C-alpha cells in the first residue's frame, strides 16, 4: 500500500516482475529507518554512519551494491536495462557515494544519474544532496574535486564508520586496508582538498554486513510483492511440472518412481542452493516425494532429497506390495521462504452417485487416508489462524490438535483417535527472505514468513495385519500482520490478519489407477446417458464452470458441467465425476445480479446423504456448493437458453426447481465466494486485452490478498499504535473517519511555512487583508526575535490563550466567534512541519486539542533561496514539502516566466518528494486565482483519507508526538541582537549588499543568509521592518504598520530592561558568533570620530608644502637674498625655488595646525558618545 494505493490491488505503482524502479515512498522511508536503526542500537561500538560507495570508487564492492539496491528498489541490479538506455557510461551512472546517519542521509551524485536517483530518494528525511549543476559538471577536474570535497564533508562529524563489506552468501573477511585502496578513500588523503590524513587512520572502520543482512531478511511490502509476483510464480511452476508427471496414462503412471516424480522439485532446489551459497540442513526445508508406505516417519525425517529412490514405484509401495494409495510431496524454495507439503491420492476419495445411496464394497484405506488428511488440512489452517491472533506456538498447537480430533469425530473415525494421537506432530517455523530458518521468538519475527506443518505418521492399515499405510503431511507458508491499536480509553489492543501464500497449490488431488475405480467412473458416465438416466434428460453442458465449496480449505475448481432435468454433473480431471441429483438437493438458487457483467451463481443446498458422493474437500461447514458461470462464456449462454426456463417451470417433485434470488438472499459466506469469482472473472476477461501481472491474477485467486496487503503495509512501518478511529480509513474500509468532517465548532488552523525570506508573511498579509469574508482571523506569527525557530510550548500556550479568550465571551458571542474564527499560523525558518503538527497532537489539555483542527498546510518557496551551493539544499527545505503534511507549494518568484530553468528544476525536485502537492504561483506572496486561495484555506485537506494514510505510513508515532524530525544540518544559527540607537541607512544598505560577495563555500562557516527585524534609521523617527535575503540579493525596508501593543510577558521582549531597547535584528547563518554579528552591526551605525594625531614636519605632504609656499613666498627676504623673478638667489649665487625662510614657515604651519587639532580633540573629549548596544539613560 502506498500513500495513495488503488483500491483494486493494494500495492501501488507496482513494478513489472523483475524490473527495478520506484517503490512506494512509505516503504522506501521504512527501509531507510530500518538501516538507520543499526546506528541507534544501545552498543558502545555502534557506528556513527554507514558508508556506501558504488562503482569504481569502491572497486565494485558487492556489499555496497546490495545496500544500494535494497534502498533504491533494485536500481543497480546487474540485469537492469534502464541505465543502459541512457547512453552514458557505467562509471558515470555508478558515480554515487552515500553516508547514512541516524537521522539523515548524505548523497553524492552527478547531474546525469541525479534524475534516476531522485524519484527513489526525494522523500527521505533530512536528505543532503551533494550534486553539481550541469554547467559546473562540464569541468572534469572541478567535478572530481567536488566529489572529494563532498566525501570529506560527509564524514566530517563521524568517528566510527560502518562499511557494508560483504553481500549475502559471499562473506569476506573484513580488511580495512582493502577499503583504504578504494579510489575515493585514497583521494581522502590528498593535500589541499582531502581530509588531512589517511582515511583509515582518522576513522575507525567496522563491518556492518551481518547487521544489514538481518535487515534485508525481513519481509516488507516491496519484498512481498516480489515474493508474490516472481518467487511464487516460479514455485507454482514446479508444481505444474510435478503434476505433468502424473497426468498420463495409467500404465505409465504405475511405473513412475519417487525419483522421477520429484525431479522438478530436486532440480529447482539444488540449482538454487548452488547459486545462493547458503546451506540449510533442516530436514523440514528439503524437497521430497514419497509414495505409499514408504512415507514413514523415519523416511520423512531423513528426507529423500539426497538419495532419491528409483525402486519405489507407484505400483509397489502400497499395502502388501500393491498399488500405492497416496503420496507425500514437498517443494521448497532454495533462495526464499516458500515451502509447502501436500498429500495426494491414487484413487478416488468419493463414490459417484449411481441412483442408490448404498455404497459399493471397496477398501476403506483411501477413505481413511483422505479423511485424516482433510482433518489435518483444517487443523493446519486453524493453527495458522490462531497463531496470527496470538503469536503463540503453544496455543496454535492446542487449537490444531483439537481441530484434528473434532474433524476425526465428524468423519466417524473416533476409534482411530487414540491410535493417532501420539503420531500427530505440529510445528511452525520462521524463515527469512533467504530461506534460512530463524528462531520463531526472535526479534522482528513478525516480518518473517512462517511455515505451519502437521504430519500424522505411520497410519495403521484399517484392514489389520499390523501394517501401516504411511503418513499424511500438510504444510503451508503464511505471513501474519499485526497492528497495535489504541482505543479511546488509552488501552492498546491488536488487530491481526494473515495470508496463506502457498494456497494456490492444490490441496486435494487424486488419480485413478485401479481397474475397479476406472470402471466405476465409466459406469457413472453411462448412468447419466439417455432420458432415463439418474439425472434425467440432458439439457446442455460445456467447459469453463467453476465449483466452489464451503469451508476455509475451499479452492475454486475449474471443470466441465452438464445440466440435466433432475440434476447436474461436474467433471474434473483430478477429482473425477461429481453427480448431484435432485434426491439430495434441498433447494437450488440462482443469482446473476440482473446484469450480464455479473458472474452467475448456482447455489446448491444439499442433504447430508450427498456427502459420501462428494470429494472429501467439498465437505464444508455448510452443506452447499456454488457453481459459477462466467458472463460471455458458452456455458453461461447455454444455461440461459437451455436450462434456466426448464428448471424454473418444473416442480421439485419432477426435477430441479430453480429459485431466482437477489444479493441479499446469499449468505455471508456465499457473498464472499461470489466476490472471489467476480474478481477472477474480472482478471481473466481482460487477460488477453491488457497486460496483467501475476500479482493481479493471484489477487483474484487468493481471497483476502488485497486486504492483507493493506494491513501488512501498515504493520511493516513500525510498532507504534494507530488510533482506533483511524483504522478503517487506513485499511481502506471507509472513505473517511468519523472525525473527518468540517465541524463548525472547531477552529480551523491554516499553516503557512517556509524558509526565511520565502514571503510567507506577505502571503499571510494578503490572505488576511483580501479575504475577510472567511471570518474572524487570528494570526500566530513565529517569534523571530529569539534563538529558536519553533517553540512547541509557546505555541501550545498560545492555543490555550486563544481558546480561553473565546470562552470568556458570552455564550451567544462565543458560538458566533468560534464558528467564524480561523487561525493562521505563519512560520518562517528551518521549522519542520511535523513538529508543528505534533505540538498540536500532544497538547497537554485535551479540550484545547479537540477545539482546533488543521485545515491545510502550505509551504512558500523562493527558488533563489533554496540552494546553498550547487544543488545542496538549505536545511529542511525539502522536508517542509513533505508528503502527508503539505497540501500546497507556493512559488513566490520567477512566476512570470513559468519555464524558468531554476523553477522547473525545483518543481521537479518537490514533485518527486510530494506527488500530491498542488503547485501555486504567487509572486511575492500575491495569489491571483480564487481556486488557489481556496486550496490554501481549505478546511479538510489535511484530514483527508489520503493525507491521513500518508502520515501514518511516513511518520510513525506522529499522533503521539514520537516521530523525531531530525537535526538541522548545516547548523543554522539564529542570533537576535537588541539595541536602542538608530542606524545609518546608507551604511546599512551598503553592508547588506556586500554580504553576498563574502559568502564562502562548504562548510559555509560564518555565512549570513538572512537578516530580519525592526530598526530605526537616523533619517526618520519611524520604526522600519527590515528583511534582507543574501542569495536573492533582496533588501526590503518598509515602515512597521501600526498595531496593538504586544501583551506583557511576550516571548519577544528584550532580555534586559524592557522598553529601553527599541530595535532588534535577527541574523541567520552558519556558525555565527554574537560578537562578530555585533561588530558587523556597529559598522552600520554612526561612527564615533577618532582623535586627530598632532602633525610633524615629516607628515607634511607635497601639496601642503606648495600651499605654504604660495601663501608666504612674498614675505620679506633675509639679508643677502634677492628674487630674480623666478628663483631666490643668495650672495654667493645659489638659487632655490623656495623662500629662504621656508623652514620657519613650515614650523609655523605645523604649530598652527597642532593648535587646531588640540582644540578639536578637546571639543571631541567633551562630547558624549554612546555605543550602539549601550542602553539609553
Amino acid at each position: 500500500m502506498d500513500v495513495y494505493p488503488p483500491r483494486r490491488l493494494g500495492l501501488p505503482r507496482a513494478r513489472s516482475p523483475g524490473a527495478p524502479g520506484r517503490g512506494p515512498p512509505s516503504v522506501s522511508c521504512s527501509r531507510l529507518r530500518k538501516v538507520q536503526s543499526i546506528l541507534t542500537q544501545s552498543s558502545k561500538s555502534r557506528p556513527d554512519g554507514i558508508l556506501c560507495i558504488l562503482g569504481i570508487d569502491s572497486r565494485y564492492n558487492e556489499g555496497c551494491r546490495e545496500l544500494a539496491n535494497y534502498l533504491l528498489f533494485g536500481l543497480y541490479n546487474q540485469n537492469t536495462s534502464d541505465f543502459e538506455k541512457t547512453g552514458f557510461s557505467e562509471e558515470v551512472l555508478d558515480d554515487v557515494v552515500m553516508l547514512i546517519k541516524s537521522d539523515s542521509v548524505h548523497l553524492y551524485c552527478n547531474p546525469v544519474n541525479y534524475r534516476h536517483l531522485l524519484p527513489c530518494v526525494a522523500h527521505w528525511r533530512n536528505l543532503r544532496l551533494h550534486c553539481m549543476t550541469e554547467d559546473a559538471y562540464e569541468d572534469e577536474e572541478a567535478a572530481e574535486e567536488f566529489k572529494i570535497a563532498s566525501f570529506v564533508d560527509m564524514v566530517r562529524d563521524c568517528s566510527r564508520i560502518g562499511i557494508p563489506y560483504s553481500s549475502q552468501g559471499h562473506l569476506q573477511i573484513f580488511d580495512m586496508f582493502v577499503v583504504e585502496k578504494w579510489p575515493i578513500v585514497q583521494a581522502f588523503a590528498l593535500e589541499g582538498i582531502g581530509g588531512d590524513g589517511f582515511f583509515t587512520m582518522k576513522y575507525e572502520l567496522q563491518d556492518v554486513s551481518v547487521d544489514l543482512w538481518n535487515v534485508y531478511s525481513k519481509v516488507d511490502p516491496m519484498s512481498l510483492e516480489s515474493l508474490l509476483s516472481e518467487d511464487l510464480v516460479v514455485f507454482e511452476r514446479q508444481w505444474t511440472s510435478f503434476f505433468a508427471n502424473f497426468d498420463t496414462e495409467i500404465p505409465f503412471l504405475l511405473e513412475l518412481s519417487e525419483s522421477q516424480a520429484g525431479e522438478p522439485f530436486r532440480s529447482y532446489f539444488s540449482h538454487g542452493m548452488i547459486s545462493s551459497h547458503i546451506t540449510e540442513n533442516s530436514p523440514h526445508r528439503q524437497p521430497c516425494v514419497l509414495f505409499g508406505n514408504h512415507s514413514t516417519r523415519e523416511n520423512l525425517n531423513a528426507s529423500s532429497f539426497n538419495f532419491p529412490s528409483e525402486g519405489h514405484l507407484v505400483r509397489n509401495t502400497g499395502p502388501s506390495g500393491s498399488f500405492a494409495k497416496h503420496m507425500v510431496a514437498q517443494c521448497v524454495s532454495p533462495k526464499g521462504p516458500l515451502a509447502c507439503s501436500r498429500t495426494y491420492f491414487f484413487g478416488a476419495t468419493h463414490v459417484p452417485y449411481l441412483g442408490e445411496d448404498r455404497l459399493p464394497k471397496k477398501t476403506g484405506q483411501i477413505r481413511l487416508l483422505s479423511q485424516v488428511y482433510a482433518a489435518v488440512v483444517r487443523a493446519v489452517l486453524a493453527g495458522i489462524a490462531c497463531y496470527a491472533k496470538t503469536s503463540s506456538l503453544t496455543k496454535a498447537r492446542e487449537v490444531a490438535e483439537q481441530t484434528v480430533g473434532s474433524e476425526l469425530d465428524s468423519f466417524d473415525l473416533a476409534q482411530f483417535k487414540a491410535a493417532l494421537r501420539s503420531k500427530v506432530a505440529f510445528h511452525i517455523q520462521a524463515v527469512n527472505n533467504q530461506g534460512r530458518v530463524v528462531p520463531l521468538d526472535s526479534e522482528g519475527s513478525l516480518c518473517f514468513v512462517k511455515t505451519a506443518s502437521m504430519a500424522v505418521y505411520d497410519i495403521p492399515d484399517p484392514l489389520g495385519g499390523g501394517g501401516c499405510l504411511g503418513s499424511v503431511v500438510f504444510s503451508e507458508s503464511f505471513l501474519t500482520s499485526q497492528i497495535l491499536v489504541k482505543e479511546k480509553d488509552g488501552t492498546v489492543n491488536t488487530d491481526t490478519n494473515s495470508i496463506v501464500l502457498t494456497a494456490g497449490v492444490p490441496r486435494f488431488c487424486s488419480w485413478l489407477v485401479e481397474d475397479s475405480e476406472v470402471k466405476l467412473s465409466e459406469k457413472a458416465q453411462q448412468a447419466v446417458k439417455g432420458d432415463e438416466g439418474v439425472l434425467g434428460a440432458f439439457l446442455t453442458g460445456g467447459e469453463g464452470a467453476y465449483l466452489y465449496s464451503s469451508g476455509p480449505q475451499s479452492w475454486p475448481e475449474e471443470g466441465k458441467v452438464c445440466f440435466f432435468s433432475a440434476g447436474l454433473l461436474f467433471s474434473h480431471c483430478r477429482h473425477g465425476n461429481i453427480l448431484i441429483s435432485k434426491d439430495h438437493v434441498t433447494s437450488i438458487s440462482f443469482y446473476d445480479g440482473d446484469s450480464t457483467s455479473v458472474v452467475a451463481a448456482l447455489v446448491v443446498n444439499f442433504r447430508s446423504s450427498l456427502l459420501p458422493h462428494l470429494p472429501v474437500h467439498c465437505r464444508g461447514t455448510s452443506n452447499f456448493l456454488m457453481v459459477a458461470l462466467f458472463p460471455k462464456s458458452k456455458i453461461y449462454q447455454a444455461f440461459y437458453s437451455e436450462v434456466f426456463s426448464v428448471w424454473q417451470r418444473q416442480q421439485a417433485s419432477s426435477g430441479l426447481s430453480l429459485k431466482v434470488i437477489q444479493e441479499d438472499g446469499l449468505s455471508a459466506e456465499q457473498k464472499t465466494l461470489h466476490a472471489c469469482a467476480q474478481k477472477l472473472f474480472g482478471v481473466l476477461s481482460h487477460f488477453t486485452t491488457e497486460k496483467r501481472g501475476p500479482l493481479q491474477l493471484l489477487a483474484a485467486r487468493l481471497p483476502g490478498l488485497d486486504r492483507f496487503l493493506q494491513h501488512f503495509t501498515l504493520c511493516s512501518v513500525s510498532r507504534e499504535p494507530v488510533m482506533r478511529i483511524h483504522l478503517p480509513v487506513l485499511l481502506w474500509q471507509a472513505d473517511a473517519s468519523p472525525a473527518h468532517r468540517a465541524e463548525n465548532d472547531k477552529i480551523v488552523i491554516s499553516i503557512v511555512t517556509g524558509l526565511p525570506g520565502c514571503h510567507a508573511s506577505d502571503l499571510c498579509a494578503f490572505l488576511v487583508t483580501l479575504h475577510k469574508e472567511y471570518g474572524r482571523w487570528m494570526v500566530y506569527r513565529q517569534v523571530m526575535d529569539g534563538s529558536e525557530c519553533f517553540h512547541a510550548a509557546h505555541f501550545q500556550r498560545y492555543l490555550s490563550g486563544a481558546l480561553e479568550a473565546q470562552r470568556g465571551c458570552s455564550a451567544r458571542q462565543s458560538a458566533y466567534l468560534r464558528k467564524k474564527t480561523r487561525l493562521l499560523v505563519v512560520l518562517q525558518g528551518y521549522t519542520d512541519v511535523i513538529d508543528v503538527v505534533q505540538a498540536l497532537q500532544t497538547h497537554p489539555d485535551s479540550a484545547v486539542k479537540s477545539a482546533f483542527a488543521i485545515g491545510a498546510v502550505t509551504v512558500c518557496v523562493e527558488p533563489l533561496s533554496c540552494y546553498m551551493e550547487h544543488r545542496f539544499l538549505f536545511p529542511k527545505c525539502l522536508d517542509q514539502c513533505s508528503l502527508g503534511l503539505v497540501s500546497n507549494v507556493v512559488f513566490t518568484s520567477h512566476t512570470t516566466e513559468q519555464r524558468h530553468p531554476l523553477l522547473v528544476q525545483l518543481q521537479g525536485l518537490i514533485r518527486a518528494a510530494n506527488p500530491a502537492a498542488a503547485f501555486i504561483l504567487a509572486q511575492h506572496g500575491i495569489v491571483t486565482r480564487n481556486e488557489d486561495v481556496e486550496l490554501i484555506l481549505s478546511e479538510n485537506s489535511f484530514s483527508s483519507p489520503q493525507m491521513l494514510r500518508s502520515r501514518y505510513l511516513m511518520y510513525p508515532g506522529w499522533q503521539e508526538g514520537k516521530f523525531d524530525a531530525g537535526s538541522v544540518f548545516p547548523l543554522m544559527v539564529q542570533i537576535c541582537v537588541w539595541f536602542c540607537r538608530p542606524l545609518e541607512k546608507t551604511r546599512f544598505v551598503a553592508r547588506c549588499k556586500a554580504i553576498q560577495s563574502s559568502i564562502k563555500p562548504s562548510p559555509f562557516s560564518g555565512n549570513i543568509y538572512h537578516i530580519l527585524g525592526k530598526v530605526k534609521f537616523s533619517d526618520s523617527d519611524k520604526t522600519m521592518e527590515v528583511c534582507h535575503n543574501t542569495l536573492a540579493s533582496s533588501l526590503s525596508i518598509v515602515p512597521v504598520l501600526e498595531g496593538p501593543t504586544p501583551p506583557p510577558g511576550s516571548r519577544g521582549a528584550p532580555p534586559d530592561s524592557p522598553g529601553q531597547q527599541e530595535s532588534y535584528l535577527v541574523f541567520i547563518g552558519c556558525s555565527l558568533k554574537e560578537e562578530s554579528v555585533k561588530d558587523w552591526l556597529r559598522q552600520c551605525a554612526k561612527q564615533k570620530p577618532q582623535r586627530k594625531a598632532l602633525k610633524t614636519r615629516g607628515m607634511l605632504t607635497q601639496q601642503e608644502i606648495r600651499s605654504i609656499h604660495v601663501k608666504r613666498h612674498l614675505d620679506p627676504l633675509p639679508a643677502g637674498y634677492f628674487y630674480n623673478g623666478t628663483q631666490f638667489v643668495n650672495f654667493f649665487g645659489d638659487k632655490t625655488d623656495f623662500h629662504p625662510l621656508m623652514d620657519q614657515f613650515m614650523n609655523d604651519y605645523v604649530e598652527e595646525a597642532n593648535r587646531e587639532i588640540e582644540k578639536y580633540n578637546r571639543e571631541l573629549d567633551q562630547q558624549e558618545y554612546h555605543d550602539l548596544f549601550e542602553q539609553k539613560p
Side-chain angles (χ1 to χ4, degrees), residues 756 783-788 973-985 987-989 991-992 995 1008-1017 1023-1029 1034-1038 1040 1052-1055 1061-1069 1072-1085 1172-1173:
V783 181
M784 294 300 297
D785 51 2
S787 59
E788 299 178 65
V973 179
Q974 183 170 301
I975 297 177
C976 180
V977 179
W978 288 85
F979 52 94
C980 57
R981 307 292 174 177
L983 301 179
E984 296 294 320
K985 188 172 184 179
R987 296 181 65 86
F988 179 77
V989 172
R991 295 283 293 173
C992 287
I995 295 177
I1008 299 175
Y1009 292 105
H1010 301 282
I1011 302 176
L1012 309 168
K1014 297 178 180 180
V1015 300
K1016 283 187 177 182
F1017 292 107
T1023 300
M1024 312 297 286
E1025 185 170 356
V1026 173
C1027 180
H1028 172 66
N1029 188 334
S1034 64
L1035 175 61
S1036 170
I1037 302 176
V1038 295
V1040 175
Q1061 303 188 37
E1062 302 173 350
S1063 304
Y1064 73 90
L1065 284 176
V1066 178
F1067 292 80
I1068 304 174
L1072 299 182
K1073 298 181 179 178
E1074 186 172 355
E1075 285 304 317
S1076 300
V1077 169
K1078 286 185 175 181
D1079 291 341
W1080 184 93
L1081 196 56
R1082 285 189 179 100
Q1083 301 299 317
C1084 301
L1172 179 65
F1173 302 101

Side-chain angles (χ1 to χ4, degrees), residues 201-366:
M201 295 180 65
K202 192 169 184 178
Y203 300 102
E204 180 183 345
L205 305 184
Q206 64 184 84
D207 189 6
V208 293
S209 300
V210 175
D211 294 323
L212 288 171
W213 295 352
N214 292 332
V215 173
Y216 305 154
S217 66
K218 297 176 182 178
V219 180
D220 63 24
M222 288 303 292
S223 61
L224 177 58
E225 178 189 353
S226 176
L227 181 69
L228 294 173
S229 60
E230 300 172 23
D231 297 356
L232 184 59
V233 172
V234 176
F235 183 82
E236 292 183 345
R237 191 178 301 140
Q238 310 313 311
W239 284 96
T240 302
S241 300
F242 170 78
F243 287 128
N245 291 327
F246 294 91
D247 293 336
T248 182
E249 298 295 330
I250 292 178
F252 298 105
L253 191 152
L254 293 174
E255 297 301 321
L256 198 63
S257 69
E258 291 177 349
S259 176
Q260 293 171 321
E263 193 279 331
F265 297 162
R266 192 167 58 254
S267 299
Y268 170 57
F269 187 79
S270 59
H271 294 163
M273 290 295 288
I274 292 172
S275 63
S276 70
H277 299 274
I278 296 175
T279 58
E280 177 58 68
N281 297 320
S282 171
H284 298 291
R285 297 292 301 175
Q286 297 191 38
C288 67
V289 175
L290 299 175
F291 292 158
N293 54 18
H294 190 228
S295 60
T296 60
R297 181 194 295 263
E298 180 182 359
N299 291 324
L300 282 169
N301 290 337
S303 181
S304 63
F305 168 63
N306 292 322
F307 304 99
S309 173
E310 294 284 355
H312 293 89
L313 311 177
V314 175
R315 64 175 171 80
N316 64 10
T317 50
S320 303
S322 62
F323 298 147
K325 305 303 179 183
H326 75 297
M327 66 174 170
V328 172
Q330 176 170 284
C331 183
V332 179
S333 174
K335 296 189 290 186
L338 296 177
C340 71
S341 305
R342 297 290 187 265
T343 299
Y344 296 139
F345 303 96
F346 297 113
T349 62
H350 72 289
V351 179
Y353 176 69
L354 300 178
E356 55 184 15
D357 290 330
R358 183 174 59 86
L359 299 178
K361 293 182 179 180
K362 61 172 293 183
T363 65
Q365 294 168 334
I366 292 182

Side-chain angles (χ1 to χ4, degrees), residues 880-912:
Q880 288 186 345
C881 305
S882 295
L883 182 66
L885 298 173
V886 176
S887 301
N888 313 299
V889 179
V890 178
F891 296 93
T892 57
S893 71
H894 297 81
T895 59
T896 55
E897 184 183 351
Q898 294 188 20
R899 302 306 299 173
H900 190 282
L902 177 60
L903 181 63
V904 171
Q905 192 274 333
L906 201 59
Q907 286 179 337
L909 173 64
I910 296 175
R911 180 62 71 203

